[in-house]
Amino acid sequence: MAALAYNLGKREINHYFSVRSAKVLALVAVLFLAACHLASRRYRGNDSCEYLLSSGRFLGEKVWQPHSCMMHKYKISEAKNCLVDKHIAFIGDSRIRQLFYSFVKIINPQFKEEGNKHENIPFEDKIASVKVDFLWHPEVNGSMKQCIKAWTEDSIAKPHVIVAGAATWSIKIHNGSSEALSQYKMNITSIAPLLEKLAKTSDVYWVLQDPVYEDLLSENRKMITNEKIDAYNEAAVSILNSSTRNSKSNVKMFSVSKLIAQETIMESLDGLHLPESSRETSAMILMNVYCNKILKPVDGSCCQPRPPLTLIQKLAACFFTLSITGYLIFYIIHRNAHRKNKPCTDLESGEEKKNIINTPVSSLEILLQSFCKLGLIMAYFYMCDRANLFMKENKFYTHSSFFIPIIYILVLGVFYNENTKETKVLNREQTDEWKGWMQLVILIYHISGASTFLPVYMHIRVLVAAYLFQTGYGHFSYFWIKGDFGIHRVCQVLFRLNFLVVVLCIVMDRPYQFYYFVPLVTVWFMVIYITLALWPQIIQKKANGNCFWHFGLLLKLGFLLLFICFLTYSQGAFEKIFSLWPLSKCFELKGNVYEWWFRWRLDRYVVFHGMLFAFIYLALQKRQVLSEGKGEPLFSNKVSNFLLFISVVSFLTYSIWASSCKNKAECNELHPSVSVVQILAFILIRNIPGYARSVYSSFFAWFGKISLELFICQYHIWLAADTRGILVLIPGNPMLNIIVSTFIFVCVAHEISQITNDLAQIIIPKDNSSLLKRLACIAAFFCGLLILSSIQDKSKQ
């Protein structure tokens, strides 16, 4: 009964929810969400600085998340680079002094909080030419007004940034009287025009008063209540916001510290002053407000303007616009022709007859339709990660955010299981399943920010290595069995791997090496091809006739291993090869190829291991050493049990080692040599028992077929800020947001996979003469792209 219910349940789901209907639903969701976000930005404004200064929440201890945007954590070098030749002034009471100290410590962590607290405190970094001053003015009175007024005079050098605020001293000295509040209103009214004048040339922030923890206040501060503080804040906001005839005041309200204090004031030592972690958060917000628009950090989307379109992006937009227009014209003409050819009634017989039989879809129509769809999808990519239409948030890792989704997908994977069509080791369905669950785990790893947890990081490194292992295994098996070294096969693989990445490089203005995994797989495919295609070409058919050829192939693999070792221990030679033009255009990132060398070196041996495994397995299979029948163990019972025991022990041993690593550098050094242990252990555990080899998860296999698109698309339409953050389509509800964004993301990846396959049939024809013409056109396209890229680089300089 349980099995029957299980099968009926799967049928019901598949009947009512197809891939086509899912994509239509995803399109409707995108249009609706885009309209909502556009309306929201028109109504609430498009300035993420306002959100940064006024709203947010704690993701965890000491991790502040502004509403709708990402905050960058500035390092010392970055802060100095931003503030070079700048003067920042903090003016106010002891709370502003705290903020001053926290701000200075971003520039110089060794700066100590010492000296007379009730006096001015200077700070200067002569090397970076940064000057930060604290001016002691605990009340909004004539003294503060004179200080601010002096800055408005032309003869006095104005600070580039002014941070001001005060109120608690007025409440304390005047015992919280209403007369003191009235005087505060009069004083701030007289200061407001001066601040507004300064705000035209400098960044001026008025810090609203943080709440207090009344139970901890000393007797001489008991009159400072949250009710009084709220009254003073309301007065400051109403006066400063109405101090100009313009619709909006130039003086910015720094009100976010109130929200931070509400969560942390209980940790205060005296009930009045905030704990150090809260001050550091407020100081980092100030740094983001001022520096993000200057340094433009990738993971700091707050206060950043939308990047201008490059020449290549504009040309891409024109191309996709023409493709969409061309397809619409083609569709209208085709539809009108179809209407004319509708069945008509024969007046004599009274029967309907058709004028023309349905014609097959032409290559031109498929081409226009594919580029039309791709253009709309690329528009969505651009909206998500360049246009600042949708929101972005920082990642925050917790064990539950990683492991709970892993459990969910495992349950789904078990629910959707089928019998395999064949029971050979690493058959197509099994490798698709393997790619699928690995890709889903990697996606969860990326969105949860689990790279900060070393044991998870090391196991994910094994999954990446396993993809490369499959690259070595799969391509070696194909060339060894088929012996097809033709140009058509090479072009098909290269097109399938690189089409989406090339389009994204153009549309998203990113270097090829940014999508590091695709260059990695592409280079290794070419290494495998060259190794096997070079004379003498040794294939299985030739080797079966003479065992001598097996030794010849092993010799080839030996030379490949020596070549890998040479490049591994000769960084200079590696960098010289890939720094040559035009290779440098593909493999440089931030002006050098170090990142490419690091990525290549991490998994340098695993493709070789995959090729060697394929050779040994196919040799054993040919000699009928293996039992690959349905339900049969791969070897005899004793051998199978022994190998299973060794595999389980090896698998667990690697996991224990990965969990005991002290740091990433130490782990990464050993990883290339030992990752194959867990990969081989998994293969044996998965394939030795006959019952395990006879079933597979269709759920995981479905994702495995689009694993490449999933890996690439996540950069911009699931994650955000080039993978540094999370895309927010539905603010305020993280769980619903993940569900909706994931649904759209998967639908887009599947559609791109189909588009790539359709275009591959047209662009990579089987006829060699036609293929060579297409290759000449593709070469001309890339030459043009290189020229435009060079022009673009010169214009930026």
Side-chain angles (χ1 to χ4, degrees):
M1 287 297 290
L4 180 62
Y6 164 79
N7 289 323
L8 286 173
K10 285 199 294 185
R11 283 181 194 170
E12 285 293 312
I13 293 170
N14 294 332
H15 178 73
Y16 289 106
F17 196 73
S18 64
V19 173
R20 184 182 177 85
S21 62
K23 288 176 183 176
V24 172
L25 185 59
L27 177 62
V28 172
V30 167
L31 294 174
F32 175 74
L33 290 169
C36 289
H37 279 267
L38 191 63
S40 174
R41 292 207 177 259
R42 284 182 177 275
Y43 176 72
R44 299 181 61 181
N46 197 29
D47 187 4
S48 58
C49 277
E50 288 188 9
Y51 295 134
L52 178 59
L53 291 170
S54 62
S55 58
R57 69 186 191 278
F58 273 106
L59 293 178
E61 188 179 359
K62 301 181 183 179
V63 181
W64 181 255
Q65 173 58 60
H67 176 70
S68 86
C69 63
M70 295 167 60
M71 211 168 82
H72 178 66
K73 189 173 183 179
Y74 277 89
K75 299 175 183 175
I76 299 169
S77 58
E78 292 174 322
K80 288 182 178 181
N81 187 28
C82 168
L83 300 175
V84 64
D85 295 327
K86 297 293 188 294
H87 178 204
I88 298 96
F90 289 79
I91 177 170
D93 55 15
S94 58
R95 286 175 159 189
I96 299 297
R97 184 181 63 239
Q98 280 190 309
L99 188 56
F100 158 79
Y101 276 124
S102 296
F103 188 87
V104 169
K105 284 180 180 179
I106 299 175
I107 306 166
N108 181 7
Q110 281 74 43
F111 189 69
K112 295 180 180 179
E113 301 183 24
E114 56 187 15
N116 191 343
K117 294 181 178 180
H118 296 171
E119 64 180 18
N120 298 344
I121 305 170
F123 168 80
E124 187 173 4
D125 189 307
K126 293 183 179 180
I127 297 173
S129 189
V130 179
K131 186 180 179 184
V132 187
D133 290 325
F134 168 70
L135 306 176
W136 173 251
H137 290 282
E139 288 191 90
V140 180
N141 55 19
S143 175
M144 180 183 282
K145 181 180 178 180
Q146 283 301 117
C147 179
I148 295 171
K149 188 177 181 181
W151 287 330
T152 62
E153 297 173 1
D154 295 335
S155 59
I156 303 296
K158 302 176 184 66
H160 297 89
V161 181
I162 298 166
V163 182
T168 54
W169 267 69
S170 298
I171 299 171
K172 177 184 173 182
I173 292 172
H174 301 286
N175 202 28
S177 65
S178 56
E179 291 80 6
L181 177 59
S182 300
Q183 187 62 45
Y184 178 84
K185 290 179 180 179
M186 291 174 60
N187 291 339
I188 205 167
T189 301
S190 65
I191 288 175
L194 302 175
L195 292 174
E196 194 64 38
K197 186 176 180 181
L198 280 173
K200 292 178 181 178
T201 54
S202 305
D203 286 0
V204 180
Y205 304 96
W206 185 266
V207 181
L208 297 183
Q209 293 299 300
D210 304 325
V212 296
Y213 192 50
E214 297 179 15
D215 295 344
L216 283 178
L217 291 173
S218 58
E219 286 301 320
N220 63 337
R221 289 174 176 166
K222 286 292 183 183
M223 69 291 295
I224 307 174
T225 63
N226 287 320
E227 185 181 353
K228 296 288 183 185
I229 285 173
D230 289 341
Y232 276 73
N233 282 338
E234 287 174 13
V237 171
S238 62
I239 293 167
L240 291 173
N241 278 343
S242 62
S243 62
T244 175
R245 292 181 181 179
N246 299 326
S247 59
K248 193 175 181 181
S249 172
N250 290 319
V251 178
K252 301 177 182 70
M253 292 291 147
F254 193 83
S255 58
V256 70
S257 61
K258 290 198 307 174
L259 299 178
I260 297 170
Q262 285 171 5
E263 301 290 333
T264 60
I265 192 64
M266 291 78 73
E267 301 169 22
S268 171
L269 297 176
D270 58 8
L272 179 67
H273 299 99
L274 293 177
E276 189 173 356
S277 61
S278 303
R279 294 152 41 192
E280 289 172 354
T281 301
S282 295
M284 195 60 71
I285 289 171
L286 275 175
M287 191 69 75
N288 273 257
V289 170
Y290 187 76
C291 290
N292 281 7
K293 57 181 175 286
I294 298 171
L295 298 186
K296 297 181 174 61
V298 175
D299 61 341
S301 65
C302 300
C303 300
Q304 272 205 53
R306 185 180 67 185
L309 286 171
T310 64
L311 175 61
I312 294 174
Q313 285 176 308
K314 289 175 182 176
L315 290 173
C318 291
F319 171 78
F320 284 122
T321 303
L322 288 172
S323 297
I324 293 168
T325 306
Y327 176 69
L328 290 175
I329 293 169
F330 192 96
Y331 177 77
I332 291 167
I333 293 170
H334 182 75
R335 190 174 181 182
N336 288 336
H338 180 71
R339 281 180 179 176
K340 289 177 182 178
N341 296 323
K342 271 188 175 180
C344 57
T345 305
D346 191 331
L347 296 176
E348 293 182 5
S349 62
E351 296 178 353
E352 288 189 346
K353 62 180 181 179
K354 293 184 179 178
N355 294 332
I356 298 175
I357 299 170
N358 288 335
T359 56
V361 180
S362 66
S363 296
L364 178 61
E365 185 176 358
I366 294 172
L367 197 68
L368 287 172
Q369 185 184 52
S370 296
F371 280 121
C372 175
K373 290 178 181 178
L374 190 63
L376 295 173
I377 290 170
M378 287 302 112
Y380 178 62
F381 271 78
Y382 189 84
M383 283 193 301
C384 288
D385 211 20
R386 291 294 179 272
N388 294 334
L389 175 64
F390 298 120
M391 301 174 179
K392 303 174 180 69
E393 287 190 354
N394 295 90
K395 299 177 186 178
F396 177 67
Y397 175 72
T398 61
H399 291 320
S400 60
S401 67
F402 177 75
F403 289 105
I404 291 176
I406 294 290
I407 294 169
Y408 286 158
I409 66 164
L410 286 176
V411 171
L412 283 170
V414 172
F415 179 74
Y416 282 92
N417 67 80
E418 308 284 347
N419 292 322
T420 56
K421 293 177 183 176
E422 57 177 331
T423 55
K424 291 181 179 179
V425 173
L426 292 180
N427 58 70
R428 183 58 184 268
E429 290 163 331
Q430 190 182 124
T431 53
D432 282 341
E433 174 202 86
W434 193 7
K435 288 177 184 176
W437 70 256
M438 286 195 303
Q439 186 57 62
L440 292 175
V441 171
I442 289 171
L443 290 174
I444 295 168
Y445 164 81
H446 281 153
I447 202 164
S448 63
S451 60
T452 56
F453 186 46
L454 192 55
V456 172
Y457 167 81
M458 287 310 302
H459 283 86
I460 295 299
R461 287 256 37 96
V462 175
L463 299 190
V464 174
Y467 268 104
L468 293 171
F469 181 93
Q470 285 195 53
T471 297
Y473 172 84
H475 291 306
F476 178 91
S477 300
Y478 178 86
F479 290 127
W480 176 250
I481 296 168
K482 301 281 187 181
D484 178 12
F485 296 99
I487 192 171
H488 177 261
R489 166 70 181 177
V490 175
C491 292
Q492 263 196 332
V493 173
L494 293 180
F495 184 88
R496 177 79 176 82
L497 289 174
N498 292 277
F499 172 71
L500 175 58
V501 164
V502 170
V503 173
L504 285 177
C505 288
I506 294 168
V507 173
M508 306 304 287
D509 188 29
R510 281 294 171 264
Y512 179 63
Q513 184 52 221
F514 175 73
Y515 307 93
Y516 76 93
F517 186 74
V518 171
L520 201 58
V521 177
T522 301
V523 167
W524 277 117
F525 167 73
M526 291 307 300
V527 168
I528 296 165
Y529 175 77
I530 292 168
T531 301
L532 298 177
L534 282 176
W535 183 89
Q537 289 183 359
I538 305 171
I539 60 173
Q540 190 180 58
K541 189 176 180 181
K542 185 187 287 188
N544 288 338
N546 189 341
C547 289
F548 171 78
W549 290 113
H550 285 97
F551 293 104
L553 183 65
L554 288 173
L555 194 62
K556 273 192 170 187
L557 293 178
F559 279 117
L560 174 60
L561 182 60
L562 286 175
F563 179 69
I564 293 169
C565 291
F566 169 72
L567 290 181
T568 298
Y569 298 105
S570 180
Q571 184 180 349
F574 184 95
E575 290 183 350
K576 282 180 182 178
I577 293 169
F578 289 100
S579 294
L580 294 172
W581 193 90
L583 285 178
S584 58
K585 282 299 212 180
C586 295
F587 297 102
E588 280 186 355
L589 194 64
K590 298 178 181 177
N592 60 68
V593 295
Y594 173 79
E595 181 70 17
W596 166 234
W597 180 77
F598 172 76
R599 294 285 186 182
W600 177 87
R601 193 169 177 270
L602 268 179
D603 298 298
R604 56 188 178 269
Y605 300 125
V606 75
V607 172
F608 170 80
H609 291 146
M611 295 171 70
L612 188 61
F613 176 83
F615 172 72
I616 294 169
Y617 163 66
L618 292 171
L620 293 174
Q621 187 188 61
K622 196 67 181 176
R623 282 160 179 73
Q624 298 181 348
V625 175
L626 307 175
S627 301
E628 295 183 297
K630 194 166 188 179
E632 296 178 5
L634 201 58
F635 304 98
S636 64
N637 288 332
K638 287 184 179 179
V639 174
S640 295
N641 291 335
F642 174 75
L643 287 176
L644 271 176
F645 175 76
I646 295 295
S647 300
V648 171
V649 170
S650 300
F651 193 93
L652 295 175
T653 301
Y654 180 90
S655 293
I656 293 167
W657 169 79
S659 301
S660 62
C661 270
K662 294 179 181 177
N663 54 68
K664 282 186 180 180
E666 177 187 306
C667 293
N668 286 336
E669 195 62 36
L670 289 173
H671 166 77
S673 304
V674 299
S675 61
V676 70
V677 172
Q678 198 163 39
I679 294 169
L680 290 175
F682 170 78
I683 292 171
L684 292 176
I685 293 168
R686 181 70 179 82
N687 286 277
I688 287 176
Y691 61 84
R693 209 171 56 251
S694 301
V695 295
Y696 78 105
S697 170
S698 56
F699 174 79
F700 289 142
W702 189 88
F703 285 99
K705 290 173 185 175
I706 58 169
S707 58
L708 181 68
E709 286 75 18
L710 288 171
F711 186 86
I712 300 166
C713 290
Q714 67 167 323
Y715 277 70
H716 303 295
I717 62 168
W718 197 52
L719 303 174
D722 296 335
T723 74
R724 267 72 168 193
I726 299 171
L727 179 68
V728 179
L729 300 177
I730 302 175
N733 195 327
M735 184 59 69
L736 182 60
N737 175 66
I738 289 294
I739 292 170
V740 173
S741 65
T742 302
F743 174 69
I744 296 170
F745 157 60
V746 171
C747 289
V748 168
H750 189 272
E751 186 61 33
I752 289 177
S753 177
Q754 290 187 333
I755 290 170
T756 305
N757 291 332
D758 290 342
L759 289 175
Q761 301 300 320
I762 299 169
I763 296 173
I764 313 294
K766 290 183 179 180
D767 179 55
N768 280 341
S769 60
S770 301
L771 178 57
L772 289 173
K773 291 176 184 177
R774 301 281 169 83
L775 289 178
C777 293
I778 292 170
F781 168 76
F782 279 109
C783 286
L785 202 60
L786 285 172
I787 293 167
L788 288 172
S789 179
S790 300
I791 294 169
Q792 211 167 259
D793 292 341
K794 286 180 181 178
S795 65
K796 286 179 181 179
Q797 291 173 1

